[in-house]
Amino acid sequence: MTAINEVVDLSKEGDIAVVTVNSPPVNALSANVRDGLTEAFKQAIGDASAKAIVLICDGRTFIAGADISEFGKPPRGAPLGEVLSAIENAPKPVIAAIHGTALGGGLETALVAHYRVAVPSAKLGLPEVKIGLLPGAGGTQRLPRIVGVEKALEMITGGDPIGAKEAAATGLVDEVVEEGKLREQAIAFAKKVVGEGRPLKKVRDLPCSASPELFDKFFKANAKAFRGRMAPVNCAKAVQAATELPFDEGMKRERELFTELVTGDQSRALRYVFFAEREAAKIPDVPADTPVRDVKKVGVIGAGTMGGGISMNFLNAGIPVTMVEVQQEALDRGVGVIRKNYENSAKRGKLTAEQVEQRMGLLTPSLNLEDLADCDLVIEAVFELMDIKKELFGKLDKIVKQGAILASNTSYLNVDEMAACTSRPQDFIGLHFFSPANVMKLLEIVRGEKTGKDIIATCMGLAKKIGKVAVLVGVCHGFVGNRMLFQRTREANKLVDEGAMPWQVDKVLYDFGLPMGPFAMGDLAGLDIGWKAETSKSSTIRECLCEAGRRGQKTGAGYYDYDENRNASPSPVTEKIINDLRAKKGITPRAISDEEIFERTIYPMINEGAKILEEGKAIRASDIDIVWLNGYGWPAYRGGPMFYANLVGLKTVADKMNEFQAKYGDDFAVSPLLQRLADEGKTFADL
Ligand code: 3HC
């Protein structure tokens, strides 16, 4: 075996040359890998005794793509296009041997090989769209030629990989080989190709055509899914070019469309998110080798929307759950909702009837707290009243076995106060799920003053197991997400008091890319949350709406009017209620610009984010962004509020906040951290 460089080897098995990439963790196509491949292929091609070349990877995966950390930096090493041309133009067969994930530039490398073999567990895909890019090394031109235009459009604009079996059915993989025997069977395949004198199949030579209507239809059908996003649109345009232009011209078009994306803010934001998500899993004082506790059985207290949703996460992961309620009726209702959710998934083909029963079989409903005695983790999801929670944890402390984790799903209350009601505050933690808890990806893990490191490590690991994106936060009112949301809600309400209409405020935030504005969100959640008829004083718009029976979508009316399909339209009734209340309060409404709406709702959130960092309630600015992306629908292509602030400039944000403070008061007082960074010309990334 010859080491070409630190990451690429060349060896021989009889008359087959084997090029092996070994660049942990995921064999990304870094400059080193590209240089190594260039030299290895040069030597293998030059070796007259080698009749074919197998390209294979060591470690957990085939090449998982270009090295994302190289984008936006000065180019180094052999250009990927040249490496791939050399492979495709090799005068002897090249066979890509795939295990793990052949993604992005990795699949593009496999696509210039003349043949592809893969183990059954391998996955193949072009996920560039997820980081705001398109496959820029021929993927948009080659994939449709081999899997068909429609399938390629789906794979490239959606970014999800397909399995080896499906890949074989589409022709993307020539042979599925045995798990664990990739190397020997790829070599055997290569020998077969040589022995049978099979041709050097180049994907680029295959025909590619589609009717122009196919693309019109595709763009129309996906208008909503692609809203505001450049990458899927450019991906589809590049595939369209494959159907309209000769291969080399299609490649040029692909390059233009790729360049447009790679130099833009959307891809910058999405690449930032890729690394930020992985960074969030790292806790500086809780090393990766911190011992964790076994969580084999979970208890959930409360069978309402939250308790049920939380339970489903564990059932889905095969972890038994005991769900406790006070009343039989509420318990039955909770179990019924879980079953209905699963049955709906089964109707949509996402679960088999057997899987539904298997999950339900893991659920033990109970009216007795004592049944939680042997649970390894108990999460309460009862009313947000401190006294109720304290009493509950006092009881649980005496029931649940030692060594178990006690957790509260509170969305804003003080976790330390609850922990203090137990004899084991070191085993106490906040696990703040977002509603609907079986759907939303975010989990804020709230670290109490005394929470043990092993508890944090256990919960971070458990979050991954149940498919959540976990962010560690500190104890403060509303933690990270809701604490920032309070700022936005307060300003949105003030803007409507002053002269804006709810739909104007909502539209500004929707147009920015959020799924909905605060008023549409209020209607969806129900305006009567926390509202009581007996104490309602017609003092806010929300109170007036509730008093008028307009409690949100569920009553067919809230801020908006709703038709039978729950389509919203601005409501003249709401408008009158707002105008009447303004008159009662002696407010003369003024015209408010969209710009002011945007800055007054978003900048105070950023400012609050800065305070959160100052107080150490989040570890890093990017963690705050991960909260907003996964818990509140902040569009990933805008990177999160803190990333967005870096982009517009912290000085711009601070100056505007100071201006607002002078006009509207201390709700806009600038955080010292934000002011300092702004004065020093720095960003949150400099922290
Ligand atoms: N470039 C640089 N680093 C990468 C990387 C890449 N393409 N893919 C993964 N990594 C790093 C991660 O940042 C992480 O680093 P860390 O340990 O320091 O945090 C490490 O590799 C392991 O990654 P994961 O934690 O994500 O490991 P998993 O086993 O959970 O997942 C994976 C592996 C499925 C390969 C996943 O990492 C992944 O999806 N990677 C991105 C794939 C991708 O987007 N490829 C396309 C790149 S763009 C491209 O190819 C352009 C081309 O068309 C020109």
Side-chain angles (χ1 to χ4, degrees), residues 25-26 28 60 64-69 71 80 101 103-106 108 127-128 131 133-137 258 274-275 278 282 464:
V26 298
R60 66 206 228 209
D67 184 338
I68 303 172
S69 64
F71 291 122
L80 182 57
T101 44
L103 299 178
E108 290 173 303
E128 284 87 343
I131 48 168
L133 295 175
L134 57 76
F258 178 85
F274 177 85
F275 290 112
R278 284 152 182 83
K282 295 167 191 156
K464 197 164 181 195

Side-chain angles (χ1 to χ4, degrees), residues 210-227:
S211 70
E213 296 89 77
L214 183 134
F215 290 94
D216 289 346
K217 263 205 227 149
F218 182 80
F219 281 118
K220 269 195 202 118
N222 287 289
K224 198 163 170 212
F226 295 174
R227 179 171 75 98

